[in-house]
Amino acid sequence: MRVKDSQQPADLGSLMALVSDFYWRCDQSGRFVHVEGGAVERGDIDTRKWLGRVPAEVGLGAIERAGWPLPEQSVSDYVVRWVRDDGSIRYLSVAAESIRDANGEPDGWRGLARDVTRHRMRYRELKQLRTAIDASHDMIFVVDRESMRFLYVNDIACELTGNPREAFMSSTPDQVLGIDRGVLEAQYDRVIAVGRLTVEDRSRLGRGGSMMVERRRCALFVEGRWVIVSIVHDITDRKLAEQSRDRLSRMYATLSATNEALLRASTPEALYQQLCEAAVANDDVLVAATLRLDEQCETLHVVGVAGPIAADVGELVVPLNKPSPLSDGLVGRCFRQGRTQVADDYLSDPRLMPWRRIGKRIGLKSAAAVPIIKDGTTIGVMLLIADQTNAFGRDGVRLIERMVANVVFALENLEREAWRRESEKHIEFLATHDALTGLPNRTLFNQSLTMAIEAGHPFAVMFIDLDRFKFINDSLGHEAGDQLLKTIAKRLRACVSKSNTVARLGGDEFVVLIKQGEDPGDIEAVAGTILDTVLQAVSLNGQEYRVTASIGIAVYPEDARDASSLLKQADMAMYCAKDEGKNNFQFYATELEDRSLVRMRLEHNLRCALEKQQFELAYQAKISLAEGQIVGVEALLRWHCEELGTVLPGQFLPLAEELGLIVPIGRWVLETACEQNMAWQRAGLPAVRIAVNISAVQLSDHTLVSHVRSVLERTGMPPHLLELEITETAVMQNIANAVAQLAEIKKLGVMIAIDDFGTGYSSLTQLRDLPVDTLKIDRSFVNELATNTTDQSIARAIITMGKNLCLNVIAEGVETPEQEAFLRAEACDAMQGFYFSRPGAAEVFAELLEGHAQRYVG
Ligand SMILES: Nc1nc2c(ncn2[C@@H]2O[C@@H]3COP(=O)(O)O[C@H]4[C@@H](O)[C@H](n5cnc6c(=O)[nH]c(N)nc65)O[C@@H]4COP(=O)(O)O[C@H]3[C@H]2O)c(=O)[nH]1
C-alpha cells in the first residue's frame, strides 16, 4: 500500500519501492502523517498503526540520545532502534529535515529511513571483537604481507612495546621487531606456505627490556591479500617454571648421582670429592666445594672441590675465629649460624661485599652454602656456586640440604664401617698375634711355615729361647719380664729383613723363619747377630741386665719337610745349644734325637738327685805361684746318678738352672763346703780358704746373703775362709744387682772372685766398682798359653789389670810346666789345674793338704 505525500519528489515513490528504505513525514506534533517505501511495500510497516502516531508509539527510539530525531534542522546517519510488535529489534539509519509550509512556517519533519540491522549487527560484532582483542593479555599484530604495514595492533601490544598505535601504523614490523626485513618476510612467507606457525623466542619490550614469548602466526587470505596475524603470548613465567623444573630435575639427577657417589666412597676424603663431582654434573653449577673444620677449630678448608673453576676455590681457607671480612661470607655465616645461606643475586647481595670482586672474577652469580651437621655439631659446609642468578630456588636448596644430609649419613656409615673393619682387624690381629709383643703368634707362624713349605724354597727355622728368663721373671716381677720380652721381640724383628717372619710362641720362646739365600753361611750370620743383639744390656726397673739366648736351627728341606717336624727339630737343637753352655746356636742333626732323649733322662733324674743325696763335692787345690803353697781350694760339684753314672757340672748345671733347681743345690754346696772346711780344720789340717761357685741365678736370689750368713754362723767358719766365685758373665747380666749383692757379701767378710774372667764383657770402670778380691783367668786363655801369642797378651793384660786394681790374679786350667812358667814369669799370683792337682774327694784333698803343708810349712 502506498501513502501518497504531496511533498515527495515525483519519481521517488517508484524508486523507494526498490529498496527496504522508506520515506516518512511527521506533522508539527511529531505524528507520522506519511510513510512510504520498500518497508511498507514488503509489509514491515503497517501504515494503519503508524499514521497518526508518534515514533515512540510504534517502537522507535534513539540509540545515542533519547527519542526520535526531530532536530532543529537536519540529521543524517542517525541510528534508531526499532522494537517491532513481535519483539524483534531492527536498526534504522535515519536522515531527517524539518519542513515549512508555503508561508515559511514550520510544518513538521520528513526524512528517509533505511534498515541497517545487518550492518549494525556486524558493527557490533566487530566492536565486541575488537574490545575482546584489546582486552587480550597477548599482544596481537595484524600485518599486510604485501605492503608490510601494520593493519592492527592491540592495546597490550602498544602498552608492552611502549609504542603508541600511530607509531605502529607509521612503521613496518621489521623496524618494530628489530629483525632484518628479508628474514621477517621469509618468516611470513613460511607462515603463508604452511598456514600457521608457532615459535618461541624473545620479544623486545619498551625501555630496552625483553621477555620470552610464544609467537603464533597464521596467514589469512582476505579480499585478495595475505594478512599475517601474530598472537604473541608472554611465556616468561612458564619458561622460568620450566627452567626451574629442569634445574630441579637436574638437581634430582645430581642427588641420585650423589647417592651413588656415597655408596662408592670408601673414605671421608673420597666421599667429599665424589660429592662435589656429582654436584657439578649439574650444568648450572660452576663449582661445588666441601669445606671441613680443621683440628684446631680455627679455619674451614677445602676437602673436596670440582667444577670448571675448581682451581679458584681449591685453596679457599675461611678463618672462623679472627674477625675478618672473609669470615663473614656465605660460608662463614652458614657455619656459624648452622643454617643454609643462599645468595640469589650474589653480586648485588650487600652481605657479600667482601667477596664481590672474587665473585665477579670467577663469574659467580648465585651461591648456596649448606651446613654439614653431624651429631648436632656443624663440622663443615657444602658450597655451590652457579653462573646464573636464582640458580637454586627453594626446592634446589632443599635438595642440596638432602644431599648434605645423605653425606652425613654416609660419613656415619663410613665411621661405623671403619670401626667395624678396625674391630675385625683387631680381632684378627689378636687371633694371629701375640698381644704382648705384637709379633705373630703360633697360629700365624704355622701358616707362614706351611706357606713357605708350599713355596718349596729352602728356608730355616730358628727356635730361640732366652736363657734364665724364668729367673728374671720370678725375681724382678712379671712387669719386668714383659718389658724384657718386648725389648727382645723388637731386637729380633730388627735382626731380620721384613720378608722373614719373627713370632713368639709363648713364654720366652721365639721363632724365626728365614728364607735361605745361596750362601748357607747366611743363616749362621743371622743367628750370630741375634745372639749379639739379645746380649745387649736391657734396662729393667732402672737397672741394666744382660740376657743370653740359645738358638736351635732346622733347615728345610734337608731336616724335615713338614711344619711340625721342623719346629720340633729346631726346638731340640735349641736344647742342645742350652746344653752347650747357652748363648750359642746349634743346627739340628739326627744325633740330637739321642741327645734329646739323654736330656729327658737327665731332667728326670736331676729332679730327685738332691733328695736321693746323689751330689758330692770334689776339691781342687789353688797354689801360690811365688811360694808353691796351697792357698785355697775350690769345691766342685759332682753328681753320681744311679742311671747315668757320674755327671759333670757342665752337663747338668744349665738344666738345673733352667729347672730352678740351682738354688737348693747351691745351698747344699755352700753348706757342705763350709762344713767340710771346718771338718778339715777340726782334723788338724791348716786353715785354707774354700771357694764355692755361685751361679747367676743364685746371685740374683735375694736370700743369698742371709743364707751365706746363716751357713757361716752355723758352721762357725770364719768368713774370710770363704770365697764365692761368680762368673764374669753372671755379673754382667745384672751389674747393678751384682754390685749390691756382692757388697753385702763383702760386708760379711767373705772373699769374692770373678770366675772365667775375660769371657764376659766387663769394662774397666765396671770392674772398679765391683767389690771383688780375685780375678780368675779363664781356662780358654790358659790352654794355649805356651804357644798362642794372643792368649799370652790377654793373660798378661788381665794380670797387669788385676795388679793395678790391687786384685789377686789366679789362672785356672794350668796343665803344663810351660803354662806355669809363663804365669810365674808374668807374676800371676796363683794357679789351679791338673798340673798340680785334679779335683778329688775330701779325703784326697786332705791328704794333699797335709803332705803339702808338711812339705811347705815345715
Ligand atoms: N781341662 C782342665 N780342666 C780343669 C783343670 N783344672 C780344673 N779343671 C776344671 O775346671 C773347672 C773349674 O771350675 P770353674 O771354672 O769354676 O767351672 C765350673 C763351675 O763354673 C761350675 N761348677 C762346678 N761346681 C759348681 C757348683 O757347685 N756350683 C755352681 N754354680 N757351679 C759349679 O762348673 C764348671 C765346671 O766344673 P768342672 O767340670 O768341675 O770343671 C772344673 C775343673 O774340673 C785343668 O787343668 N784342665
Side-chain angles (χ1 to χ4, degrees):
M1 192 167 104
R2 198 169 289 175
V3 182
K4 287 276 178 209
D5 184 350
S6 57
Q7 293 193 15
Q8 123 183 31
D11 57 346
L12 194 62
S14 60
L15 286 172
M16 293 289 283
L18 295 175
V19 295
S20 63
D21 299 7
F22 63 96
Y23 168 77
W24 58 270
R25 197 162 67 83
C26 290
D27 62 13
Q28 194 59 23
S29 65
R31 293 175 195 283
F32 284 109
V33 289
H34 182 83
V35 181
E36 180 189 349
V40 178
E41 295 293 323
R42 279 209 303 273
D44 286 346
I45 294 172
D46 183 353
T47 48
R48 284 172 304 172
K49 289 183 181 169
W50 277 53
L51 293 177
R53 291 211 167 91
V54 295
E57 286 169 338
V58 293
L60 293 168
I63 290 177
E64 279 91 5
R65 307 179 256 170
W68 177 252
L70 294 177
E72 305 77 46
Q73 295 188 346
S74 61
V75 291
S76 63
D77 286 340
Y78 189 85
V79 181
V80 170
R81 188 178 14 209
W82 178 22
V83 182
R84 298 179 61 199
D85 290 348
D86 63 358
S88 63
I89 293 173
R90 296 277 181 91
Y91 292 91
L92 301 176
S93 175
V94 179
E97 64 176 4
S98 57
I99 47 178
R100 295 186 181 270
D101 60 13
N103 300 322
E105 292 299 315
D107 192 23
W109 294 269
R110 66 173 180 177
L112 287 172
R114 173 175 289 173
D115 188 338
V116 292
T117 304
R118 223 152 37 100
H119 293 100
R120 180 70 199 184
M121 293 309 284
R122 185 79 187 264
Y123 169 74
R124 209 172 65 176
E125 271 172 26
L126 276 173
K127 200 168 173 196
Q128 281 172 349
L129 201 63
R130 185 172 171 159
T131 310
I133 289 173
D134 280 337
S136 166
H137 290 295
D138 292 342
M139 298 191 283
I140 298 173
F141 305 88
V142 183
V143 176
D144 177 60
R145 165 67 187 89
E146 200 177 318
S147 64
M148 285 301 274
R149 289 268 156 200
F150 283 103
L151 295 177
Y152 180 73
V153 178
N154 71 350
D155 286 352
I156 191 84
C158 298
E159 189 187 312
L160 290 178
T161 57
N163 296 322
R165 190 165 274 114
E166 302 75 57
F168 276 105
M169 295 309 157
S170 61
S171 57
T172 55
D174 51 294
Q175 291 167 335
V176 173
L177 293 172
I179 304 178
D180 176 76
R181 181 153 182 160
V183 173
L184 190 61
E185 284 182 346
Q187 288 179 1
Y188 284 169
D189 291 344
R190 171 112 185 92
V191 176
I192 291 168
V194 296
R196 59 180 59 237
L197 213 57
T198 303
V199 289
E200 285 181 4
D201 62 9
R202 223 157 236 290
S203 181
R204 290 209 306 197
L205 298 178
R207 294 195 191 149
S210 72
M211 67 179 182
M212 285 299 298
V213 294
E214 182 187 68
R215 210 180 284 280
R216 286 189 208 162
R217 286 181 179 141
C218 65
L220 304 175
F221 194 64
V222 183
E223 293 172 351
R225 301 170 79 86
W226 281 106
V227 172
I228 307 295
V229 179
S230 297
I231 301 172
V232 181
H233 179 61
D234 176 4
I235 55 168
T236 310
D237 287 347
R238 196 187 82 200
K239 276 286 157 194
L240 284 177
E242 271 175 20
Q243 277 173 8
S244 110
R245 198 186 54 225
D246 287 354
R247 191 173 301 130
L248 212 58
S249 72
R250 283 199 298 276
M251 289 221 175
Y252 268 111
T254 306
L255 184 68
S256 88
T258 315
N259 288 345
E260 258 185 68
L262 303 188
L263 289 177
R264 276 199 312 271
S266 55
T267 61
E269 293 70 28
L271 180 69
Y272 293 133
Q273 186 55 33
Q274 287 178 19
L275 169 72
C276 294
E277 274 160 23
V280 292
N282 180 343
D283 293 341
D284 299 336
V285 180
L286 267 183
V287 71
T290 316
L291 294 100
R292 274 293 309 249
L293 186 63
D294 65 4
E295 278 181 9
Q296 293 74 39
C297 299
E298 285 174 355
T299 59
L300 286 170
H301 59 279
V302 176
V303 287
V305 63
I309 55 156
D312 288 297
V313 182
E315 302 300 317
L316 181 66
V317 175
V318 179
L320 293 172
N321 297 339
K322 282 180 257 162
S324 130
L326 292 184
S327 71
D328 220 19
L330 219 55
V331 172
R333 280 165 190 265
C334 168
F335 184 84
R336 274 195 304 276
Q337 295 175 16
R339 277 210 315 269
T340 298
Q341 304 285 322
V342 179
D344 285 326
D345 188 356
Y346 197 95
L347 298 180
S348 59
D349 195 322
R351 296 173 301 170
L352 305 169
M353 273 293 284
W355 296 85
R356 199 166 288 174
R357 208 165 47 83
I358 302 176
K360 238 184 204 156
R361 184 168 59 77
I362 62 178
L364 193 166
K365 294 275 178 58
S366 58
V370 177
I372 304 174
I373 301 173
K374 195 166 151 284
D375 301 329
T377 308
T378 308
I379 57 165
V381 170
M382 172 151 202
L383 173 68
L384 295 178
I385 290 174
D387 56 359
Q388 283 177 31
T389 52
N390 297 305
F392 301 102
R394 222 177 46 186
D395 291 336
V397 167
R398 268 207 209 116
L399 265 175
I400 302 167
E401 285 174 344
R402 267 175 67 185
M403 231 154 84
V404 169
N406 286 353
V407 168
V408 171
F409 176 73
L411 271 178
E412 285 167 356
N413 259 355
L414 278 181
E415 276 173 11
R416 263 196 300 275
E417 183 61 17
W419 183 84
R420 194 183 58 74
R421 273 204 303 266
E422 207 47 51
S423 308
E424 272 178 14
K425 252 165 70 183
H426 190 61
I427 290 168
E428 162 130 17
F429 184 84
L430 288 182
T432 54
H433 287 77
D434 168 41
L436 178 68
T437 61
L439 290 178
N441 62 11
R442 187 185 289 272
T443 313
L444 191 56
F445 182 77
N446 280 338
Q447 283 172 18
S448 307
L449 200 52
T450 310
M451 277 163 64
I453 291 170
E454 280 166 8
H457 303 301
F459 65 87
V461 175
M462 289 187 183
F463 203 112
I464 304 164
D465 189 279
L466 298 184
D467 302 324
R468 301 186 189 93
F469 171 75
K470 185 180 175 327
F471 162 70
I472 288 199
N473 210 28
D474 291 349
S475 57
L476 298 183
H478 287 207
E479 270 180 33
D482 286 353
Q483 184 56 44
L484 174 65
L485 290 172
K486 281 202 253 182
T487 309
I488 297 298
K490 253 193 213 152
R491 290 183 186 174
L492 290 179
R493 192 55 270 182
C495 282
V496 296
S497 68
K498 272 202 173 142
S499 59
N500 296 317
T501 308
V502 178
R504 180 180 171 222
L505 298 188
D508 60 340
E509 292 175 349
F510 295 88
V511 270
V512 178
L513 193 155
I514 300 212
K515 291 182 183 130
Q516 204 171 337
E518 305 226 317
D519 184 359
D522 291 349
I523 301 291
E524 289 179 29
V526 175
T529 310
I530 289 176
L531 290 177
D532 290 347
T533 314
V534 170
L535 190 66
Q536 283 166 19
V538 186
S539 176
L540 301 172
N541 296 348
Q543 292 181 13
E544 288 219 328
Y545 292 84
R546 278 176 200 273
V547 285
T548 54
S550 299
I551 305 176
I553 306 168
V555 176
Y556 172 88
E558 287 92 324
D559 296 335
R561 287 174 176 270
D562 68 285
S564 75
S565 302
L566 279 165
L567 257 182
K568 216 168 76 195
Q569 289 170 350
D571 186 22
M572 208 179 277
M574 183 275 293
Y575 276 112
C576 167
K578 283 214 188 284
D579 290 345
E580 291 297 319
K582 304 188 175 82
N583 195 22
N584 74 96
F585 61 86
Q586 296 292 326
F587 280 88
Y588 169 80
T590 33
E591 306 84 77
L592 294 189
E593 304 271 351
D594 304 335
R595 279 178 72 167
S596 175
L597 279 176
V598 170
R599 186 191 149 87
M600 279 166 65
R601 278 161 59 201
L602 204 62
E603 184 178 330
H604 172 75
N605 285 297
L606 191 59
R607 287 192 185 277
C608 49
L610 205 56
E611 207 182 313
K612 287 186 175 171
Q613 299 184 339
Q614 292 175 341
F615 290 116
E616 192 193 28
L617 290 182
Y619 300 93
Q620 186 177 31
K622 295 179 181 181
I623 311 294
S624 80
L625 276 157
E627 294 94 16
Q629 285 180 326
I630 296 179
V631 288
V633 57
E634 181 177 359
L636 295 160
L637 187 59
R638 298 290 177 263
W639 175 27
H640 304 291
C641 175
E642 280 170 8
E643 188 191 343
L644 305 169
T646 298
V647 189
L648 287 172
Q651 291 168 287
F652 69 85
L653 280 178
L655 188 59
E657 283 188 345
E658 242 173 74
L659 301 177
L661 294 171
I662 192 68
V663 174
I665 293 174
R667 288 183 174 180
W668 178 87
V669 172
L670 184 69
E671 275 176 31
T672 311
C674 292
E675 273 167 9
Q676 183 58 61
N677 201 14
M678 291 310 287
W680 283 326
Q681 283 189 41
R682 282 194 295 274
L685 289 168
V688 64
R689 182 173 297 143
I690 189 159
V692 172
N693 289 284
I694 299 289
S695 77
V697 177
Q698 286 172 280
L699 186 63
S700 302
D701 175 17
H702 56 274
T703 63
L704 174 69
V705 181
S706 60
H707 181 71
V708 172
R709 188 188 298 115
S710 74
V711 169
L712 289 174
E713 283 169 4
R714 199 148 27 84
T715 56
M717 194 176 84
H720 71 275
L721 290 185
L722 176 63
E723 183 172 57
L724 300 184
E725 285 190 13
I726 299 126
T727 63
E728 188 185 10
T729 315
V731 169
M732 295 318 295
Q733 270 178 25
N734 180 359
I735 183 84
N737 174 64
V739 171
Q741 285 273 59
L742 297 183
E744 287 299 304
I745 291 168
K746 276 296 301 174
K747 275 189 205 157
L748 298 176
V750 174
M751 311 298 279
I752 292 165
I754 300 288
D755 206 355
D756 303 341
F757 192 78
T759 56
Y761 295 84
S762 53
S763 71
L764 211 58
T765 46
Q766 287 168 326
L767 204 59
R768 196 191 52 203
D769 295 338
L770 276 174
V772 295
D773 307 285
T774 305
L775 297 181
K776 279 187 90 171
I777 303 173
D778 187 61
R779 204 163 62 218
S780 58
F781 305 118
V782 178
N783 272 344
E784 296 173 26
L785 206 52
T787 52
N788 188 321
T789 51
T790 309
D791 287 350
Q792 287 174 0
S793 304
I794 293 171
R796 195 178 291 124
I798 296 173
I799 295 165
T800 312
M801 191 172 73
K803 296 280 161 212
N804 288 340
L805 293 169
C806 300
L807 301 174
N808 284 315
V809 180
I810 174 170
E812 61 180 356
V814 179
E815 293 179 349
T816 64
E818 292 77 16
Q819 291 166 341
E820 189 210 12
F822 178 88
L823 293 165
R824 192 187 301 279
E826 292 300 326
C828 182
D829 295 309
M831 64 168 187
Q832 178 183 347
F834 296 166
Y835 177 60
F836 183 73
S837 74
R838 285 178 176 267
E843 308 80 54
V844 177
F845 178 74
E847 274 172 32
L848 183 70
L849 186 59
E850 198 174 19
H852 203 74
Q854 281 167 6
R855 214 179 325 149
Y856 284 94
V857 175

